[in-house]
Amino acid sequence: MKEGEFSLSEKIEVPSGLINAIVAGYQLALNKALGAGAAAMTQLLVRDIGDFLEGMLEEIGFELHDIADLKEDIPKAFKMLGISDNVKVEVPSDGEASGSKYIIKIHDSIFKPVARLLEKKGIKFTLSPESFIAAALVRKAIRKVKPDAQVRVKIHPQKSADEPLVIEVIVR
């Protein structure tokens, strides 16, 4: 692997608690530095991370250009990445890409502790790794049909630890 490249093909294990602490730390710092602007930063990251993610997923055999059924492909990606085994996807019934809203419910994410911690501190979890992955997959599928589609992410705060993390991916 070349310097400055990312890969999922390396099988290095890092404790999920450490990853959660890093994600929480970035979110806390971003919130302190940008305040309400932290949500805008998320929208910029959705685009950039999607580009990295495409190549990374293809390295482990998940071809983004083959995405056909988001109800099946999003849960499959989350399982392959080891993030969650229980993901439900609601797709728009109208079949139109523009103005569509995809709802992704993640019930057992390895990042759930971060969401809970931030909620207790009254901070929105705008850097949710789950939201970046979900948005990248929706964005790739939609752009096959509508190349200029704009994808935005909204993460709903959890009301209890028993509820799923709910991510809206809105396509315009």
Side-chain angles (χ1 to χ4, degrees):
M1 182 170 56
K2 294 180 187 173
E3 188 175 327
E5 288 184 0
F6 304 106
S7 174
L8 293 178
S9 61
E10 295 179 68
K11 299 295 179 190
I12 299 171
E13 291 189 32
V14 178
S16 63
L18 175 60
I19 298 298
N20 279 323
I22 292 167
V23 171
Y26 279 129
Q27 181 68 71
L28 292 166
L30 185 65
N31 193 65
K32 285 180 182 176
L34 298 179
M41 179 78 149
T42 300
Q43 304 312 319
L44 295 171
L45 289 170
V46 163
R47 180 184 59 235
D48 294 338
I49 289 175
D51 294 339
F52 287 128
L53 189 61
E54 184 172 347
M56 293 171 72
L57 284 171
E58 287 178 359
E59 280 184 5
I60 61 168
F62 191 87
E63 303 291 331
L64 287 182
H65 63 270
D66 290 340
I67 291 177
D69 182 352
L70 289 170
K71 282 181 114 170
E72 291 181 19
D73 292 333
I74 290 175
K76 180 181 171 185
F78 275 82
K79 186 172 187 135
M80 282 182 78
L81 292 168
I83 293 172
S84 176
D85 290 332
N86 190 359
V87 178
K88 306 289 185 246
V89 180
E90 298 171 15
V91 298
S93 58
D94 62 6
E96 285 292 315
S98 183
S100 298
K101 186 188 311 184
Y102 295 79
I103 307 293
I104 296 97
K105 295 180 180 178
I106 304 164
H107 293 270
D108 61 352
S109 170
I110 61 169
F111 298 106
K112 195 170 189 174
V114 179
R116 299 295 299 150
L117 169 77
L118 296 171
E119 178 190 347
K120 288 177 184 175
K121 292 184 171 286
I123 296 172
K124 289 184 181 180
F125 190 17
T126 61
L127 293 180
S128 159
E130 304 96 334
S131 68
F132 298 136
I133 294 164
L137 296 173
V138 170
R139 180 177 173 233
K140 183 66 176 182
I142 295 301
R143 287 200 165 171
K144 286 184 192 177
V145 178
K146 186 179 179 191
D148 62 340
Q150 299 295 314
V151 176
R152 297 195 57 81
V153 174
K154 180 179 180 185
I155 303 158
H156 294 269
Q158 292 176 274
K159 293 177 181 64
S160 77
D162 298 329
E163 291 185 15
L165 177 65
V166 177
I167 300 166
E168 279 184 24
V169 180
I170 302 155
V171 180
R172 292 187 179 14

